[in-house]
Amino acid sequence: MSEAQKLSTENQVKPAEKWYSSWFDTPYYHILYKERNYREAQVFMDNLTHYLNLPEKAKVLDLACGKGRHSIYLNQLGFDVLGADLSENSIAEANKNANETLHFKVHDMRVPFEEKYDAIFNLFTSFGYFENEEDNLTTLKAIKESLSEYGFAAIDFMNVHQVVNTLVPEETKTVDEIDFHIKRYLKDGHIYKEIDFVDKGQQFHFTEKVKALTLQDFEQLMEEAGIYLLDIFGDYKLKKFHKTESERLIMIFK
């Protein structure tokens, strides 16, 4: 997602549904965020896998993989990859690229995998969007349980301090002749994004919401989960993290 605010959806889902099982399944999610920097994503995967020194044909889990752009490239690098996501539509689209060493499945990231992985990647701010904040700890524990004995995990999250300092309160973004009117704000420890637009005569409203987790918050969660935080980077070229200036918060742990 753009600053990836994984989203809570209003007025678009049945009461029993969760926002993250619906907004990602709408075509509008993919329309709004179609202009992503794929080259930047590839450079990040090159740098990350080189830093981790992953063995040839290592088993890699791309957790919350969306349509699988990272999974596909990781597979091209020679790794045995599973992409997992809660969105059935995203997995159906990703499955068009499946092969003998690239698979996709619908999976809730709070649930550990039976199989163990040499590396688990949670990329592009795909964390911190559960309604129950205890689920963030549950997810970290599930990641830990799904790692092999010598495996490493990485979470690529936004740098909350930098995002808040540079937050654009309002803008209109036109994609595929749809005018997306976007408002952003910080409230109750979450970063919100209100999205309003009209398509084919119908009006839509979505609310994206992601927990504004700082490095300190992650350190506390990881300590509770029995996780060892090994290194911290601030961008996709793996420069060191700077609290106020870094674009990303990239954490390597096991």
Side-chain angles (χ1 to χ4, degrees):
M1 284 174 80
S2 88
E3 231 342 295
Q5 281 79 320
K6 300 298 186 175
L7 312 176
S8 136
T9 305
E10 294 180 357
N11 305 326
Q12 299 298 313
V13 297
K14 300 171 186 176
E17 291 181 330
K18 298 292 187 182
W19 58 261
Y20 44 79
S21 64
S22 59
W23 165 237
F24 297 147
D25 273 339
T26 73
Y28 300 109
Y29 164 78
H30 298 291
I31 291 171
L32 178 57
Y33 298 114
K34 68 189 292 185
E35 296 175 4
R36 291 171 170 167
N37 190 328
Y38 283 84
R39 180 59 195 147
E40 185 179 56
Q42 292 177 353
V43 167
F44 180 33
M45 292 300 94
D46 288 340
N47 292 332
L48 186 58
T49 54
H50 179 74
Y51 166 80
L52 294 175
N53 195 24
L54 293 179
E56 188 178 353
K57 298 181 181 179
K59 297 180 72 65
V60 177
L61 171 61
D62 181 8
L63 193 60
C65 67
K67 287 186 175 181
R69 62 175 177 145
H70 292 101
S71 301
I72 293 165
Y73 186 67
L74 285 164
N75 182 241
Q76 291 170 354
L77 292 178
F79 301 116
D80 186 344
V81 181
L82 173 66
D85 199 282
L86 196 62
S87 166
E88 294 184 6
N89 285 356
S90 292
I91 291 299
E93 187 68 26
N95 259 324
K96 296 176 182 178
N97 301 284
N99 59 48
E100 288 184 2
T101 55
L102 175 61
H103 301 91
F104 296 94
K105 70 179 293 186
V106 176
H107 185 87
D108 188 322
M109 66 197 302
R110 293 168 291 189
V111 180
F113 287 78
E114 289 186 17
E115 200 157 0
K116 305 300 180 187
Y117 293 88
D118 301 306
I120 298 177
F121 299 149
N122 178 251
L123 306 169
F124 215 66
T125 310
S126 300
F127 194 95
Y129 47 87
F130 294 112
E131 296 298 326
N132 181 358
E133 292 184 15
E134 281 295 313
D135 287 333
N136 294 323
L137 179 59
T138 301
T139 299
L140 283 176
K141 289 179 178 178
I143 291 173
K144 180 187 177 185
E145 290 179 34
S146 303
L147 282 172
S148 65
E149 183 180 358
Y150 301 105
F152 295 94
I155 290 179
D156 161 35
F157 200 69
M158 62 180 169
N159 177 13
V160 166
H161 299 289
Q162 193 264 356
V163 168
V164 170
N165 289 338
T166 59
L167 204 65
V168 178
E170 293 189 31
E171 70 171 319
T172 298
K173 185 177 180 181
T174 303
V175 187
D176 291 357
E177 300 183 349
I178 299 174
D179 295 327
F180 293 93
H181 303 286
I182 302 169
K183 294 182 180 180
R184 301 179 181 87
Y185 55 91
L186 179 68
K187 179 183 176 183
D188 298 332
H190 291 79
I191 293 173
Y192 284 80
K193 184 188 290 184
E194 305 275 357
I195 304 168
D196 291 277
F197 58 95
V198 176
D199 185 41
K200 299 173 183 174
Q202 184 174 356
Q203 189 162 349
F204 293 87
H205 174 80
F206 295 100
T207 302
E208 305 189 359
K209 171 183 164 185
V210 63
K211 179 71 174 173
L213 293 164
T214 64
L215 173 57
Q216 188 176 2
D217 293 326
F218 274 107
E219 287 174 335
Q220 184 174 338
L221 284 168
M222 289 180 179
E223 186 175 349
E224 288 184 54
I227 282 171
Y228 298 98
L229 181 58
L230 303 174
D231 217 337
I232 308 161
F233 300 110
D235 65 17
Y236 293 146
K237 294 180 180 178
L238 302 190
K239 293 180 182 177
K240 289 300 180 183
F241 177 75
H242 188 283
K243 181 177 177 179
T244 57
E245 297 176 9
S246 292
E247 295 179 1
R248 309 298 299 170
L249 170 60
I250 299 167
M251 296 160 287
I252 311 297
F253 59 94
K254 65 177 303 175

